[in-house]
Amino acid sequence: MRSVFHISCIVVFLVTNLAFAQVKFEAKVSKEKLGINERLRIDFEMNEDGDNFVPPSFSDFNVVGGPNTSVSNSWLNGKRSYKKTYSYFLAPKSRGKFTIKQAVIEIAGETYKTFPITVTVTAAVDKPNGPPDASEIASKNIHLVAEVSNTNPYLNEAITVVYKLYVSPDTGVSNWREKDNPRFNDFWSQNIEVKGLNIQKGTYQGEDYRFVVLRKTVLYPQKSGKLNIEPLVLDINVEIPSGRYDIFGRAIMTNVPKTVTAGNRTINVKPLPEEGKPSDFKGAVGEFNFKVTTTKTALDATESFQAKVEVSGKGNLNLFELPELTTPSSLEVYEPEHAESIRTNLNGMQGRISDTYTIVPQFKGKYPIPSVSFSYFDINSKSYKRITSDEIIIDVLNGPTVSTNESNDSGLINKQHVRPNENTFVFIKTSSDWSEINEASFFKSTLFWVLLLVPLLLIPTAILIRRTTDKRHADVQGMRIKKADRLAKKYLGDAKKALGKKEAFYLALEKALHNYLKAKLNIETSDFSKEKIKMLLNKKGVDETVYAQFISILENCELARYTPLTQVTMQNDYDKAAKTISLIDKQIR
């Protein structure tokens, strides 16, 4: 009996130890020696599911990724195989020998700990010593590229930037998001919509890759010299083969968080040549046609007709001003109505812009609409060109006539002569029928007292009006506030009309801000830059916080083209722009 008892104790002891031996919880590192410029992956693996996992502090490292959790659960020949892994990606803070302390987890009510691991960090290395970890493999298999159509354009010549994500055939990506957007400082920019991420085949550095086009942008440089295109930065979850396979022979993929960037690109912008530049050149660059047309050439006085000044073609259509129409003074001309019909693709802006004048002749005669000239820089011939419209004669058939002098001043071709007759001065009276005033009836009459007292009553009224006017004029701050508010409404009128239409609203808002700066600082669009705007506003006494707010609105106009926005967001941007213009106008000296 005693021997049986001992045997039973031994069996229980072995079974208990066997049960404990089945549970594994261990830490594994991708390498035990690495350069300070490398990344370290550490996996905490267990063969049974556990709770309350507590990682070590990683005090000597920066955690650049993780924890990523993966679970493998399979059956082979009736035997279950289970593995759960917590993965971290670490960047060493300095060189030296460091110990990663124990991780702790609870499995089936028992507490398990990993063994500490010592890692040596050396100076930066050119090539990793030892097998590459998952992060390094991901870096080699995925590339974000910014392809620029022309790195040496002229001022206001269109260029395109196409952002492509290249992925090797055995690598996958998921859950990507834009971490940092390029702001395209010193460029006018327009995003081209990318409809769906179509996977295409291509090559990168001579090797076969798959790629998708993420973004297409058209840029017009607004200043000459070396301009910087900020990088697009993405956070991506990269899936790479782990080297392990499931029971069906399929590769088990490892998820690695990765940040990729397209890198900075430098554009060397050439200034437009000074030689041969026309005196009326207003910044048009491209290939254009120009014409002046009228809806009528014959009409009666007080009838109206329209004269349209139109530029069509390909180039920076909404970045220059149209030439003005001049007319004889006898024609009443109203402010022109500006219209744009522009589409933007990878070749740049194409379409037409026009100013339509409503004109009303007042007198009978023939009126010349003088020829109008339009100058532009032709990209193909790299030279300036001028297009001049034909003179148009407007024949006013019926209506009043004007004198000879007025005809000469107004440009009339037909002259009407005045023929006097003997009754010319018949309207002049040569005798009077005045009657004598009776002084007795006027003195102390109602009219007498009214004429006497009214001036006395008007004196305090005039004093009160004068004091009110002086007080209003003395309120300089109040006057400036009213003037600033009127100015903001003037420049932001088109943007307010386009509220709810994202593209039209932000184009109008950006144009309003540029026109405001042109009016207040007397600078051209081609001279716009953050530094110059800041210098001029500081010189005129505008606070730096107001300047920063103005620049942020301009940046919002660029960013808004690439992101979905609501009516509320547009209204907020409009209110912010109006407030900022008002603040600048109050402070500017």
Side-chain angles (χ1 to χ4, degrees), residues 9-187:
C9 289
I10 292 171
V11 170
V12 172
F13 177 76
L14 290 174
V15 170
T16 305
N17 280 292
L18 184 61
F20 283 117
Q22 289 178 345
V23 177
K24 290 184 180 180
F25 181 50
E26 55 188 351
K28 297 179 181 180
V29 291
S30 58
K31 55 181 68 177
E32 295 183 354
K33 186 176 182 180
L34 69 155
I36 195 170
N37 59 333
E38 296 182 280
R39 297 292 181 266
L40 177 71
R41 172 173 174 162
I42 182 167
D43 294 330
F44 299 97
E45 296 181 355
M46 65 201 75
N47 63 350
E48 294 291 342
D49 196 8
D51 300 309
N52 302 323
F53 172 71
V54 180
S57 65
F58 302 125
S59 58
D60 299 310
F61 299 84
N62 290 318
V63 178
V64 295
N68 296 332
T69 306
S70 62
V71 177
S72 173
N73 194 3
S74 61
W75 291 85
L76 183 61
N77 297 327
K79 187 177 181 181
R80 177 175 175 267
S81 175
Y82 178 87
K83 184 170 71 171
K84 184 176 182 180
T85 305
Y86 292 96
S87 300
Y88 290 83
F89 298 88
L90 310 176
K93 294 180 179 179
S94 60
R95 287 188 284 174
K97 186 175 287 188
F98 306 104
T99 298
I100 300 176
K101 297 181 180 180
Q102 296 172 315
V104 180
I105 196 167
E106 292 181 8
I107 300 176
E110 296 290 335
T111 300
Y112 294 86
K113 298 181 180 180
T114 60
F115 290 105
I117 298 178
T118 300
V119 175
T120 301
V121 179
T122 66
V125 295
D126 295 329
K127 295 181 180 180
N129 50 352
D133 60 16
S135 180
E136 294 166 5
I137 295 173
S139 298
K140 293 179 181 178
N141 291 355
I142 186 167
H143 308 277
L144 181 61
V145 178
E147 296 181 355
V148 181
S149 62
N150 184 4
T151 58
N152 194 30
Y154 278 102
L155 182 70
N156 262 313
E157 178 184 359
I159 64 173
T160 59
V161 183
V162 179
Y163 293 93
K164 295 181 179 179
L165 182 65
Y166 285 88
V167 181
S168 66
D170 59 348
T171 305
V173 297
S174 61
N175 300 327
W176 65 274
R177 68 177 184 86
E178 294 186 357
K179 185 177 182 179
D180 192 17
N181 296 311
R183 301 187 188 280
F184 304 119
N185 296 327
D186 303 319
F187 292 91

Side-chain angles (χ1 to χ4, degrees), residues 161-164 176 178 190-200 211-217 344 346 503 561-562:
V161 183
V162 179
Y163 293 93
K164 295 181 179 179
W176 65 274
E178 294 186 357
Q190 175 68 53
N191 188 47
I192 307 299
E193 183 181 1
V194 177
K195 297 182 179 179
L197 298 178
N198 298 319
I199 300 175
Q200 305 175 54
F211 73 89
V212 292
V213 175
L214 300 179
R215 178 184 287 188
K216 301 176 183 178
T217 305
T344 306
L346 286 181
E503 294 289 341
R561 299 191 186 112
Y562 316 126

Side-chain angles (χ1 to χ4, degrees), residues 134 228 334 464 480 515:
N228 181 53
Y334 294 89
L464 181 62
R480 296 185 75 173
N515 286 338

Side-chain angles (χ1 to χ4, degrees), residues 422-432:
E422 60 186 6
N423 295 322
T424 300
F425 301 101
V426 71
F427 62 90
I428 300 177
K429 293 188 69 173
T430 57
S431 61
S432 68

Side-chain angles (χ1 to χ4, degrees), residues 476-485 487 516 520 540-542 546 578-589:
V476 177
Q477 183 67 16
M479 294 290 287
R480 296 185 75 173
I481 290 173
K482 291 179 182 178
K483 181 181 177 183
D485 291 341
L487 198 63
Y516 174 74
K520 300 303 292 185
K540 291 184 175 289
V542 177
V546 178
K579 180 181 178 182
T580 304
I581 289 178
S582 181
L583 286 172
I584 292 176
D585 216 58
K586 293 174 197 173
Q587 297 177 8
I588 205 165
R589 294 196 295 266

Side-chain angles (χ1 to χ4, degrees), residues 193-409:
E193 183 181 1
V194 177
K195 297 182 179 179
L197 298 178
N198 298 319
I199 300 175
Q200 305 175 54
K201 292 183 178 180
T203 58
Y204 178 78
Q205 295 182 349
E207 297 182 8
D208 291 334
Y209 273 78
R210 298 166 298 156
F211 73 89
V212 292
V213 175
L214 300 179
R215 178 184 287 188
K216 301 176 183 178
T217 305
V218 175
L219 303 176
Y220 284 86
Q222 297 300 290
K223 61 185 291 189
S224 58
K226 291 188 176 183
L227 304 183
N228 181 53
I229 296 181
E230 297 178 352
L232 173 66
V233 182
L234 302 179
D235 275 342
I236 304 179
N237 192 30
V238 185
E239 300 173 350
I240 62 171
S242 64
R244 302 188 303 274
Y245 299 87
D246 61 17
I247 60 174
F248 301 104
R250 296 174 299 192
I252 298 175
M253 307 297 284
T254 299
N255 293 325
V256 180
K258 196 70 183 171
T259 299
V260 293
T261 176
N264 286 282
R265 298 298 302 270
T266 300
I267 308 299
N268 187 23
V269 182
K270 298 178 290 187
L272 298 177
E274 292 297 325
E275 182 179 356
K277 180 183 286 188
S279 58
D280 60 348
F281 177 70
K282 294 187 177 181
V285 177
E287 304 170 54
F288 299 110
N289 295 312
F290 175 71
K291 62 181 180 180
V292 177
T293 58
T294 59
T295 55
K296 299 176 184 177
T297 55
L299 70 163
D300 292 338
T302 70
E303 289 184 2
S304 67
F305 69 97
Q306 283 73 43
K308 179 185 288 188
V309 179
E310 182 180 80
V311 172
S312 60
K314 181 175 73 174
N316 59 333
L317 283 165
N318 60 4
L319 299 177
F320 62 84
E321 296 179 357
L322 289 168
E324 294 183 0
L325 187 71
T326 57
T327 60
S329 59
S330 293
L331 298 178
E332 185 177 354
V333 183
Y334 294 89
E335 284 293 318
E337 180 180 349
H338 186 75
E340 296 180 355
S341 177
I342 302 172
R343 63 185 183 278
T344 306
N345 54 31
L346 286 181
N347 294 319
M349 286 186 271
Q350 300 178 41
R352 63 188 70 247
I353 59 173
S354 63
D355 282 342
T356 302
Y357 298 78
T358 297
I359 302 174
V360 181
Q362 300 298 313
F363 303 100
K364 178 180 178 180
K366 293 183 180 291
Y367 298 86
I369 303 294
S371 60
V372 182
S373 292
F374 170 68
S375 300
Y376 68 96
F377 182 76
D378 183 58
I379 288 296
N380 293 329
S381 64
K382 296 179 175 54
S383 62
Y384 293 97
K385 292 188 177 181
R386 180 192 295 274
I387 303 175
T388 303
S389 66
D390 296 329
E391 183 181 71
I392 302 174
I393 301 298
I394 304 299
D395 189 5
V396 182
L397 304 175
N398 299 304
T401 60
V402 294
S403 66
T404 302
N405 289 338
E406 289 173 328
S407 291
N408 290 336
D409 292 339

